[in-house]
Amino acid sequence: MVEQAEIRVVHQGGSNITFREPAISSDSRFLLCASGHNVKVFSTVTEECVQELRGHADLVTGVLLRPSNHLQAYSCSADGTVRLWDFTDGILIKTYVIGYPICSIYASASHDGVIFIATPTKGYKTLDSLQLLAVHLPQTAGQLVETSDLSAVLSDVSANPATVAFGRAGEYVASTNGVQLQIFFFKKQKSFRFSLKENSCSGRSNTFTCVACHPTDDCIATGHEDGKIRLWRNFDQKREYTYRTLHWHHSTVRALCFTPEGSNLLSGGVESVLVQWRYQQESQQDFLPRLGAAITHIAVSPDGALFCTSHSDNKIVLIQSCVKVSSIIQGLVKGEAVQTDLMVDPRSKALVLNGKPGHLQFYSLQRDRLLFNLDVVQQEFIHQEGLDQFQVVMATLDGAGAWLATVEERKQETAEAELNLKLWAFDEPSQSFVLNTTVSTPHEVRITAVTFDPAARGQTSLLVSCGRDGLFKAWRLAVPAHPDDGGPSWTCDFVSAYHGLTPQRCCFSADGSLLAVGFQEVVTVWSPASWELLLTLSQPPGIIRDLCFGRLSCSKFLLGTTSSNQLCCWNLLTCSLEWSTSMEVSLLLADPLSDNMAAFCHQDGNTDLFVFKPSEPRPLFSQKAVCSGRVSRAVFAPREVALESCEESSQWLNRSQLYFLTPLMDLLTFSTRAEEERLMTASKQLVVDDSVAMTPFQLLLGKRRPHHQAAVEDPAVRPPADRPVPPGGSAAVRELLQSPAHVLPAAAALCSVFMEALLGVATETRENETSAGETPSDPEEEEEEEDSDQEMETRATRPERGLLETDSADPVLSRAQVRELRRVRKLDHSWFSSLLDS
Amino acid sequence: MASFKPTKIPVYPKLGEKVTQDTLYWKNYKAPVQIKEYGAVSNIDFSPVAPHNFAVTAFSRIHVYGPFSQEPVKTFTRFKDTAYCGRFRSDGQLLVAGCEDSVVRLFDVSGRVALRMFKGHTKAVHVTDFTSDRYQILTGSDDYTCRLWDIPNAAELSTYREHTDYIRCGVTSKLNRDLFITASGSYDHTLKVFDARAEKSVMTMDHGQPVESLLLYPSEGLLVSAGCGRYVKVWDLLKGGQPLVLLKNHHKTITCLALGSNGERLLSASLDRHVKVYNTTTYKVVHNFDYAAAILSLALAPDDESIVVGMTNSILSIKHRKHTEESKEMMSQQRRRPSYRVFVKGKNFVPKPDDYLVSKPVKEHLAKYDRELKKFNVSKALDASLEIWLRKKKPEITVGVIKELDRRGTLKNALAGRDEEQLSQLLHFVIGNIVDTRFAPIILTAAEMILDIYKSVIGQSALIDQQLLRLQNILESEINLEQELLEVLGMLDTMFATSVTRKEVPYSDVGRSNGLAQGEASSSRPELFRPPEIK
């Protein structure tokens, strides 16, 4: 068991980034959002994750900029701590231990040194009843600070963090729960409660869902479940309060937010339309429609230049204040359930699964980033709850990744389900899948399985689909009868049934010479070449649940699992049962690159994993209680670089990695210790610059780092006036830049030399930095570099020679000047990178 | 942000024949001119010289029509009985015709009385033709003989008695003055090639069926024969009469053959009322004409200027080629020219390498119904899709919009609240398309909704009531039809089941002992076999 401890189950990216409201830094360059146990810092320009703030031991439940220092941020977590971070450098500054799980965090600029947190009321374990506590943060030195100065502000707070908001200059706090609005004035220490009727006259619920306070005016905006927004005024009086109703949303208002000046109110909900209401002129609205999924949070940057909306499909959209989308940060889209199998695209090595409704997502596992969404349904998605829409229920890729087959269906109460089988061809120029054939109603009833022939290439591709109507059909790529009909398309090649039984599973052998179709209790093996029924196998009782051919050395075996908790292995050469064992296998998988098979077994509410070879009696690896619940989706993803582990228990992970989805939609994988160590070292190397998004260009100019960091450390002297001035020493460059363009040689001739000079500086200085104290780099190598430079320069200047003779007065880039340029590049070019920064 | 995705209009496979170059070409004829003749039109022959008059042999008369006249320009009536096979000489000056009374008459096309009468046959003469030297006449008769006659002195030159049955068709070679081919009808089934210099036939081919029509290609290397057996056979004369192609596209006797488009198309007319056009390189049917009655004769003017068909109901149908489209195209080109210049304006501008291009956002065009759908105006979207030309020409768009509304759950809202006129439009569309299998599922849903919504106003408008009754009738007849079809299907299934021989499925002892069954099936309908035991 010691060896097995080396392999452990780890989270593999794809965590939810829209769990809580994100925060935008005051200069609108960074976006902070809670993501699982960490806080992620994204660049708003490049959409890349630039920092990951690790430290919390449990789910992060809130991120907040520190009102008194805009380069620091608080995060709170269910582990009972509030942490203060310097998010540009990713440094943990302080940890305040509260001791209770924290559900959300609030702060107000006028309450210095105080943060407000929502925690469960003492004595209650559930999240039904929360209280809002004011926490005075002690000003002590040291990393770990115990806080004891807690005072209750409000009780009976809703678990939804959007239902608490601080009013103008922090004078009051508004909180809603159910149909009650509660306002607490700090100065008067007095609270007012207003309640609405349970249901409005049209019979829809009046429940409050979110609240926002105007930053400069005494006005509270509340959102309601029936889609109304109420603007409350005069709420410091018990009787004479007024409210005004705005109604545009047709279903629940999920998020409300005022812009910092209070000129606009932003609202969003299930319709996935961002509505911008003009304050005081509420009849005027701006809309940003079709944002893709229901809006869950809205945040505005402190300068009001950037909005961001979080969406239920794990997406954050950054919107400029002119209501124009500027960028999209997209995490792994997780619906309620993944209906398609997990697949790995052989070309991009991306994980393919259900994404947004009607889409397939291609998710890069290596980069933890969504590559693209493939719109399968190609229909306008109507954002309305309870509407029955088309869903992608099945998808399969062929062996080379050249074809993708998808099945979409829509259930209707009145008529039978609508079914479409779509075949997509990979288009090289556009690097994406293009719809080739649509087959509407390929089977009369639902489709149970689709699979491609893994061995077929190009024109001989073969697709098999099984349906509840008792038929299985083979589809083949056919060249059209008329040349003017367009390219080849897919047509039905063969239809067959077996005694009216329903086919549940189908599976091709690795070489495509055999097709196994499970008809309830019977497994039939067909030859795709002649469509002949070769043999039937059965192991009653129990319906065949999963079928899998062995690979490589075990290709003579066919494995199947039955509903009567049997795992059977048939030998196809002798047509007999090789072995069978009794276990409740929920998922059976074959590794495409080795002869290993993985079986996820469901036992006592937990899932166990067994990895075995069909030819060997003893499993290679087994782990009990991989996760709770039943694992129904998993995939072997081929590694880019094979590991070289010799230990028997981890050898099965050498060539491919096993990913699986838990019932709670977490993407987990198995990793070995060696791999983790390698990853750790890799991540250390990657830290180059903290403030700038890492681009290749930035890497080239990355030498100015210490200087720049010093500027960042001291935020007070950060303003743009303090930007390092262009070095005066680079006279040649200045001359080059300042002299009129018409007296200079052609830019084409000058550019390569100039850029070469800059590049030379970057590499050389980097070399110097890294090898400081070590032996200097090989002088010969440098000499060579110089030579090549000279060559290039002479080549570049040669055409100018003729010009020189005719008009010698012009300052042409002579050899001397080139020397000068080279001298210049030894000088500081930091001004250039700072230009790039801005 | 993501733009509005327009409503998906499903593409349905086009029913009926495909539109090809050939269909366009052969459809490009004006509406036929129909002329009533005195009897069944047995032969039509075009004059080889301009203006290409044609002689129509019907009962005891031969009419000569001009290319565009509807009245005969000339009539030959001096026949005592039914005339046969009126043919022009290659200079268009003389016309020869056989007759039921066994006399062959030669006419000058400008005269009325026969110039010569050739007497010698003892039975009706069905075949007459001029040889290529223009001085001799070939005749074939029901007395099993074919004869050559000299025109100047009306003397019989030679007689061939090789056929053993009626001679009903024959052609002379246009290249060789001595060569001619005859074929005999009814029982003989043979095609014979005669050379006037030889005593006997030089080549005999067996058609296998009575031959009704013969055709020589202009190159005279290929011979086409057709007859009672519904087959068209093409023979290669240069290979000694080898059969080349067998065409089997008609289902009744083929009565006439013709060549069109300079020998690139072959036409065959049949008693089954069809004229088929074949491509002479692939011998595939490229077009098909339908006529009202069984066709006896067919001829094409040079360059396919007109198609003349004679039928058993003594109607002569003349179709002239349309020529207006060229002038129309010229006019439209002239009209379009300025607008083309507008389109091209600025498009041919080539930017200089260091120009900075500012691209204007392309405004996407949406159809009217999509614009309304984008605004969630469901009733207006349905109205837009029910516009008369849309629902007539492209019902799939209307159905697509109805489907989209149903998907959005707002179909009922869109259907409700209509006045009599709008409702009658809607019902008209429903009635027209409810039995179309492509549209039936969604239109049935819509029809149910319409009945639900408007059941309270039934009886208030005579128009709506009438339409609802029509809808009911259509549905009843459709149900009856489907029932009948299912019965037929059941019958077919039993017939197929009895026709397939049963195969015993072998079982191996090994398989049974292991709890495995091994089956074999080779047919594509394995469900017809006796189910093998699973245990």
Side-chain angles (χ1 to χ4, degrees):
Chain A
M1 292 311 274
V2 180
E3 294 133 37
Q4 290 190 5
E6 201 171 87
I7 294 176
R8 62 187 201 101
V9 179
V10 292
H11 265 274
Q12 181 68 39
S15 52
N16 194 350
I17 56 172
T18 58
F19 177 59
R20 283 293 139 96
E21 187 180 313
I24 308 177
S25 69
S26 59
D27 53 358
S28 302
R29 281 173 56 201
F30 299 108
L31 179 89
L32 289 85
C33 62
S35 161
H37 295 192
N38 307 323
V39 176
K40 277 189 176 168
V41 182
F42 290 95
S43 161
T44 55
V45 184
T46 61
E47 305 158 29
E48 295 278 347
C49 178
V50 287
Q51 280 292 348
E52 199 161 348
L53 311 178
R54 297 164 196 263
H56 282 293
D58 205 339
L59 208 60
V60 177
T61 53
V63 183
L64 189 71
L65 287 184
R66 187 177 176 181
S68 54
N69 185 344
H70 62 264
L71 288 169
Q72 293 176 354
Y74 291 113
S75 69
C76 67
S77 158
D79 63 358
T81 58
V82 173
R83 288 173 198 246
L84 182 66
W85 306 86
D86 179 339
F87 58 83
T88 47
D89 299 333
I91 299 166
L92 176 63
I93 298 171
K94 270 191 174 124
T95 306
Y96 302 101
V97 181
I98 309 290
Y100 311 107
I102 304 165
C103 289
S104 49
I105 184 166
Y106 311 94
S108 159
S110 52
H111 295 82
D112 202 18
V114 180
I115 56 166
F116 299 88
I117 54 169
T119 61
T121 315
K122 271 176 210 165
Y124 292 93
K125 276 285 156 199
T126 57
L127 290 176
D128 294 339
S129 175
L130 300 181
Q131 56 183 352
L132 189 69
L133 301 176
V135 181
H136 291 270
L137 300 174
Q139 298 288 333
T140 49
Q143 263 258 338
L144 200 66
V145 186
E146 288 277 348
T147 54
S148 50
D149 193 1
L150 305 177
S151 56
V153 179
L154 284 173
S155 60
D156 202 17
V157 174
S158 159
N160 181 355
T163 57
V164 176
F166 283 82
R168 175 166 66 90
E171 278 180 13
Y172 54 88
V173 59
S175 157
T176 61
N177 198 1
V179 288
Q180 208 167 54
L181 171 67
Q182 192 179 0
I183 298 158
F184 179 78
F185 288 88
F186 288 103
K187 271 196 188 135
K188 295 186 237 170
Q189 289 287 317
K190 202 173 168 188
S191 78
F192 292 92
R193 281 166 187 268
F194 308 101
S195 33
L196 295 170
K197 279 184 284 179
E198 276 291 337
N199 291 308
S200 57
C201 33
S202 58
R204 298 179 67 182
S205 170
N206 263 332
T207 312
F208 287 93
T209 51
C210 52
V211 65
C213 294
H214 195 277
T216 55
D217 201 358
D218 278 333
C219 176
I220 297 174
T222 57
H224 297 263
E225 235 167 57
D226 57 353
K228 283 181 183 144
I229 298 170
R230 287 187 170 84
L231 294 173
W232 300 73
R233 292 196 174 82
N234 281 346
F235 41 76
D236 51 353
Q237 275 123 12
K238 189 76 194 154
R239 297 255 165 234
E240 276 134 41
Y241 70 91
T242 59
Y243 63 76
R244 185 175 167 200
T245 310
L246 311 174
H247 200 170
W248 182 88
H249 294 276
H250 66 72
S251 47
T252 314
V253 181
R254 289 271 175 83
L256 273 177
C257 188
F258 276 105
T259 53
E261 289 82 25
S263 54
N264 290 313
L265 171 67
L266 302 168
S267 68
V270 181
E271 304 89 355
S272 80
V273 181
L274 181 72
V275 187
Q276 182 174 337
W277 311 77
R278 307 265 161 80
Y279 187 64
Q280 305 290 17
Q281 299 164 300
E282 277 85 7
S283 56
Q284 290 184 20
Q285 305 136 19
D286 289 324
F287 302 103
L288 185 60
R290 286 182 284 282
L291 287 170
I295 294 175
T296 51
H297 307 286
I298 300 175
V300 182
S301 72
D303 58 358
L306 209 61
F307 310 147
C308 78
T309 53
S310 303
H311 295 264
S312 56
D313 62 350
N314 206 9
K315 173 173 75 175
I316 297 176
V317 179
L318 293 157
I319 299 159
Q320 286 160 5
S321 54
C322 53
V323 201
K324 210 176 121 193
V325 172
S326 71
S327 53
I328 298 169
I329 297 165
Q330 173 85 65
L332 181 66
V333 183
K334 295 177 189 169
E336 292 82 50
V338 168
Q339 283 164 316
T340 61
D341 273 328
L342 294 184
M343 287 165 297
V344 173
D345 178 18
R347 283 175 196 268
S348 58
K349 305 280 180 284
L351 191 69
V352 183
L353 68 161
N354 267 137
K356 291 194 284 184
H359 288 67
L360 273 186
Q361 58 179 333
F362 287 67
Y363 184 82
S364 167
L365 291 164
Q366 279 78 31
R367 294 167 57 207
D368 186 18
R369 204 176 161 179
L370 192 85
L371 295 182
F372 67 98
N373 269 312
L374 180 69
D375 185 1
V376 173
V377 173
Q378 295 182 329
Q379 261 181 349
E380 181 76 3
F381 185 77
I382 307 298
H383 295 279
Q384 192 179 327
E385 272 166 324
L387 203 60
D388 192 16
Q389 314 243 19
F390 267 107
Q391 278 182 322
V392 184
V393 290
M394 238 162 261
T396 178
L397 281 156
D398 78 340
W403 288 98
L404 167 72
T406 58
V407 178
E408 65 202 43
E409 65 174 34
R410 185 169 84 99
K411 290 176 283 295
Q412 273 182 306
E413 307 93 38
T414 50
E416 60 216 49
E418 283 180 63
L419 269 179
N420 281 326
L421 173 69
K422 283 183 177 169
L423 287 132
W424 307 75
F426 189 79
D427 184 38
E428 285 287 349
S430 64
Q431 288 290 307
S432 80
F433 285 93
V434 177
L435 185 61
N436 179 278
T437 310
T438 306
V439 185
S440 58
T441 331
H443 287 267
E444 276 163 35
V445 209
R446 297 180 62 181
I447 289 183
T448 52
V450 270
T451 182
F452 268 110
D453 180 359
R457 291 277 182 277
Q459 293 295 310
T460 59
S461 291
L462 180 67
L463 176 78
V464 170
S465 65
C466 302
R468 286 263 162 84
D469 53 358
L471 299 175
F472 80 88
K473 299 189 180 184
W475 307 81
R476 234 181 240 285
L477 196 61
V479 182
H482 288 276
D484 50 337
D485 281 2
S489 59
W490 290 75
T491 48
C492 191
D493 186 48
F494 176 71
V495 182
S496 186
Y498 185 80
H499 302 315
L501 298 175
T502 310
Q504 302 277 6
R505 281 276 153 195
C506 56
C507 179
F508 272 101
S509 66
D511 59 351
S513 63
L514 291 176
L515 167 71
V517 184
F519 284 93
Q520 290 177 352
E521 294 182 342
V522 188
V523 181
T524 56
V525 180
W526 305 73
S527 154
S530 60
W531 291 118
E532 213 173 330
L533 180 63
L534 297 176
L535 71 152
T536 57
L537 307 159
S538 91
Q539 194 67 29
I543 292 164
I544 301 291
R545 222 194 251 151
D546 238 325
L547 271 178
C548 219
F549 275 97
R551 305 282 161 133
L552 304 176
S553 65
C554 303
S555 54
K556 62 181 177 190
F557 295 109
L558 172 67
L559 287 100
T561 61
T562 65
S563 60
S564 58
N565 299 343
Q566 287 273 333
L567 173 62
C568 310
C569 176
W570 290 283
N571 188 333
L572 292 171
L573 297 178
T574 61
C575 301
S576 59
L577 190 69
E578 189 85 6
W579 52 264
S580 77
T581 166
S582 178
M583 48 165 55
E584 195 190 342
V585 179
S586 62
L587 186 68
L588 187 67
L589 269 183
D591 183 357
L593 296 179
S594 66
D595 40 13
N596 300 327
M597 311 273 283
F600 286 92
C601 304
H602 186 244
Q603 210 166 28
D604 309 331
N606 283 329
T607 296
D608 308 333
L609 172 72
F610 295 94
V611 180
F612 58 95
K613 271 186 191 176
S615 53
E616 285 173 23
R618 173 176 157 263
L620 293 169
F621 170 80
S622 67
Q623 184 162 2
K624 293 265 177 202
V626 168
C627 74
S628 63
R630 185 184 284 268
V631 171
S632 54
R633 307 285 173 206
V635 70
F636 273 105
R639 283 183 196 275
E640 281 182 346
V641 184
L643 294 185
E644 278 162 12
S645 168
C646 312
E647 284 181 60
E648 201 193 347
S649 67
S650 59
Q651 233 166 12
W652 63 279
L653 281 171
N654 275 2
R655 309 202 53 185
S656 26
Q657 207 169 358
L658 181 61
Y659 290 91
F660 63 97
L661 270 178
T662 63
L664 297 170
M665 299 293 298
D666 291 318
L667 187 65
L668 303 180
T669 186
F670 294 89
S671 92
T672 60
R673 186 177 293 162
E675 195 185 355
E676 274 173 35
E677 277 165 9
R678 212 189 54 198
L679 269 180
M680 288 298 283
T681 52
S683 66
K684 271 175 198 154
Q685 279 170 0
L686 271 178
V687 178
V688 174
D689 200 335
D690 316 292
S691 58
V692 187
M694 210 181 56
T695 60
F697 200 60
Q698 192 268 329
L699 276 176
L700 289 175
L701 297 166
K703 68 149 205 156
R704 207 178 47 85
R705 184 154 45 102
H707 179 67
H708 185 71
Q709 256 182 4
V712 172
E713 286 310 320
D714 198 352
V717 287
R718 185 77 218 308
D722 197 48
R723 179 172 293 148
V725 288
S730 57
V733 173
R734 199 165 50 194
E735 191 190 321
L736 206 66
L737 292 175
Q738 282 175 355
S739 53
H742 66 274
V743 297
L744 281 176
L750 203 61
C751 180
S752 61
V753 182
F754 187 61
M755 291 313 285
E756 191 73 20
L758 286 175
L759 288 174
V761 158
T763 49
E764 270 176 36
T765 45
R766 276 180 61 79
E767 262 174 31
N768 290 346
E769 260 180 32
T770 49
S771 62
E774 289 173 27
T775 51
S777 51
D778 199 353
E780 265 181 35
E781 223 176 84
E782 261 184 27
E783 196 62 31
E784 264 176 32
E785 213 178 292
E786 295 257 322
D787 281 350
S788 67
D789 273 3
Q790 273 177 12
E791 258 174 44
M792 188 169 281
E793 282 151 22
T794 46
R795 218 183 311 131
T797 49
R798 198 160 295 142
E800 305 302 327
R801 290 273 156 80
L803 209 108
L804 198 79
E805 282 158 21
T806 53
D807 193 5
S808 53
D810 273 354
V812 185
L813 194 72
S814 63
R815 274 197 98 76
Q817 246 173 338
V818 170
R819 288 271 164 228
E820 174 73 352
L821 253 177
R822 182 128 7 95
R823 193 181 63 77
V824 159
R825 82 178 181 210
K826 301 277 196 283
L827 296 170
D828 193 2
H829 282 285
S830 51
W831 59 274
F832 191 73
S833 60
S834 67
L835 273 178
L836 288 167
D837 278 353
S838 62
Chain B
M1 209 48 229
S3 54
F4 179 82
K5 289 174 199 156
T7 311
K8 209 166 56 173
I9 306 298
V11 183
Y12 293 104
K14 278 211 184 89
L15 301 175
E17 62 190 64
K18 286 195 75 72
V19 177
T20 59
Q21 263 334 89
D22 275 298
T23 44
L24 289 177
Y25 181 81
W26 292 107
K27 277 202 170 156
N28 190 22
Y29 283 93
K30 293 179 197 160
V33 176
Q34 307 237 352
I35 297 166
K36 180 83 178 167
E37 291 287 338
Y38 292 94
V41 182
S42 62
N43 191 55
I44 302 164
D45 190 40
F46 269 92
S47 162
V49 293
H52 303 300
N53 293 338
F54 55 95
V56 176
T57 315
F59 191 47
S60 61
R61 283 158 198 249
I62 294 176
H63 292 302
V64 178
Y65 291 89
F68 296 107
S69 66
Q70 301 204 13
E71 292 294 315
V73 294
K74 187 85 194 163
T75 307
F76 302 99
T77 53
R78 300 292 172 92
F79 293 100
K80 300 224 162 48
D81 209 332
T82 313
Y84 295 111
C85 202
R87 284 203 186 167
F88 284 104
R89 201 166 76 168
S90 60
D91 57 357
Q93 299 287 323
L94 296 180
L95 184 102
V96 70
C99 185
E100 188 69 36
D101 64 357
S102 79
V103 181
V104 178
R105 290 175 177 83
L106 181 75
F107 298 94
D108 185 346
V109 286
S110 54
R112 293 179 68 80
V113 190
L115 291 175
R116 299 275 187 281
M117 310 251 277
F118 303 95
K119 291 179 186 167
H121 281 294
T122 54
K123 279 187 177 169
V125 179
H126 280 263
V127 181
T128 56
D129 205 354
F130 293 94
T131 56
S132 61
D133 64 355
R134 304 193 289 189
Y135 303 124
Q136 291 175 1
I137 288 172
L138 160 78
T139 58
S141 162
D142 284 0
D143 60 4
Y144 312 161
T145 60
C146 56
R147 301 174 196 223
L148 270 179
W149 309 80
D150 190 33
I151 293 175
N153 49 19
E156 187 183 318
L157 293 175
S158 53
T159 306
Y160 298 93
R161 296 174 194 282
E162 285 189 27
H163 281 292
T164 57
D165 215 319
Y166 299 158
I167 296 167
R168 284 290 161 91
C169 52
V171 284
T172 55
S173 160
K174 296 269 184 301
L175 303 177
N176 189 333
R177 71 187 185 93
D178 293 324
L179 208 64
F180 57 91
I181 300 155
T182 59
S184 57
S186 51
Y187 305 113
D188 190 349
H189 305 177
T190 55
L191 316 168
K192 287 184 190 286
V193 181
F194 295 99
D195 191 336
R197 295 162 293 192
E199 288 290 306
K200 300 180 84 179
S201 67
V202 290
M203 204 185 288
T204 303
M205 289 154 278
D206 189 7
H207 181 78
Q209 303 283 344
V211 185
E212 289 283 346
S213 184
L214 274 181
L215 188 74
L216 257 179
Y217 269 66
S219 64
E220 308 205 336
L222 297 178
L223 174 73
V224 188
S225 64
C228 292
R230 302 170 307 181
Y231 303 122
V232 177
K233 287 184 180 175
V234 183
W235 310 86
D236 193 343
L237 290 180
L238 301 179
K239 280 191 183 171
Q242 202 177 0
L244 199 68
V245 191
L246 176 72
L247 303 172
K248 192 180 169 187
N249 294 91
H250 287 282
H251 56 265
K252 279 189 183 168
T253 303
I254 298 158
T255 51
C256 203
L257 294 167
L259 277 176
S261 309
N262 284 327
E264 284 171 9
R265 298 286 179 271
L266 173 71
L267 286 87
S268 67
S270 158
L271 292 180
D272 62 4
R273 301 182 297 153
H274 295 298
V275 173
K276 308 242 176 204
V277 184
Y278 308 86
N279 186 334
T280 53
T281 48
T282 59
Y283 290 103
K284 291 258 164 65
V285 176
V286 293
H287 195 67
N288 181 33
F289 296 102
D290 288 355
Y291 283 92
I295 301 165
L296 286 179
S297 54
L298 161 84
L300 261 87
D303 297 329
D304 308 334
E305 284 300 311
S306 50
I307 302 173
V308 186
V309 164
M311 288 169 273
T312 48
N313 60 355
S314 65
I315 297 269
L316 183 73
S317 155
I318 308 161
K319 279 200 226 173
H320 293 290
R321 176 162 282 281
K322 280 184 198 163
H323 280 291
T324 46
E325 81 273 8
E326 288 155 25
S327 54
K328 212 187 264 176
E329 216 168 66
M330 284 289 286
M331 271 172 64
S332 62
Q333 262 182 4
Q334 274 173 355
R335 207 172 48 229
R336 215 188 300 147
R337 197 167 291 145
S339 67
Y340 171 72
R341 215 177 276 156
V342 169
F343 279 121
V344 125
K345 195 174 174 183
K347 286 272 160 68
N348 48 8
F349 175 75
V350 181
K352 294 188 183 94
D354 43 354
D355 278 357
Y356 182 72
L357 290 175
V358 181
S359 57
K360 205 163 64 175
V362 183
K363 199 181 172 194
E364 59 170 337
H365 175 74
L366 289 178
K368 197 174 171 196
Y369 53 87
D370 271 335
R371 284 202 297 274
E372 300 294 347
L373 278 176
K374 192 180 172 186
K375 290 184 209 150
F376 290 84
N377 292 337
V378 288
S379 280
K380 280 187 184 166
L382 186 59
D383 285 343
S385 72
L386 277 173
E387 274 173 12
I388 185 120
W389 68 271
L390 211 59
R391 68 165 196 251
K392 284 262 158 61
K393 288 263 162 74
K394 291 180 172 167
E396 65 265 23
I397 290 184
T398 314
V399 171
V401 171
I402 294 177
K403 230 176 192 171
E404 170 72 13
L405 290 170
D406 183 44
R407 185 179 73 87
R408 292 178 174 216
T410 49
L411 182 56
K412 212 159 196 167
N413 307 11
L415 292 172
R418 285 170 182 269
D419 59 15
E420 185 185 346
E421 196 191 345
Q422 287 173 319
L423 183 61
S424 118
Q425 269 187 10
L426 192 64
L427 279 174
H428 190 257
F429 178 76
V430 167
I431 289 167
N433 292 286
I434 198 159
V435 292
D436 194 330
T437 46
R438 302 173 294 172
F439 308 142
I442 183 67
I443 291 196
L444 276 176
T445 316
E448 275 174 13
M449 282 185 184
I450 292 171
L451 292 181
D452 280 352
I453 295 165
Y454 296 102
K455 72 181 163 209
S456 57
V457 297
I458 288 175
Q460 291 180 11
S461 155
L463 179 67
I464 301 294
D465 291 353
Q466 200 186 340
Q467 283 185 315
L468 288 176
L469 281 176
R470 252 186 81 201
L471 182 64
Q472 192 184 1
N473 289 339
I474 284 176
L475 285 177
E476 273 168 10
S477 63
E478 178 71 13
I479 289 167
N480 287 338
L481 187 70
E482 294 212 349
Q483 205 162 356
E484 280 172 32
L485 284 175
L486 278 176
E487 281 167 13
V488 171
L489 202 66
M491 285 189 260
L492 284 177
D493 269 351
T494 39
M495 278 161 69
F496 278 129
T498 48
S499 66
V500 173
T501 50
R502 292 193 170 207
K503 231 196 255 177
E504 281 301 314
V505 181
Y507 295 98
S508 64
D509 286 342
V510 186
R512 203 174 289 167
S513 67
N514 281 327
L516 304 169
Q518 193 177 351
E520 260 180 37
S522 55
S523 155
S524 62
R525 295 177 67 91
E527 65 265 39
L528 289 176
F529 293 104
R530 200 183 59 184
E533 292 162 49
I534 293 198
K535 259 243 147 173

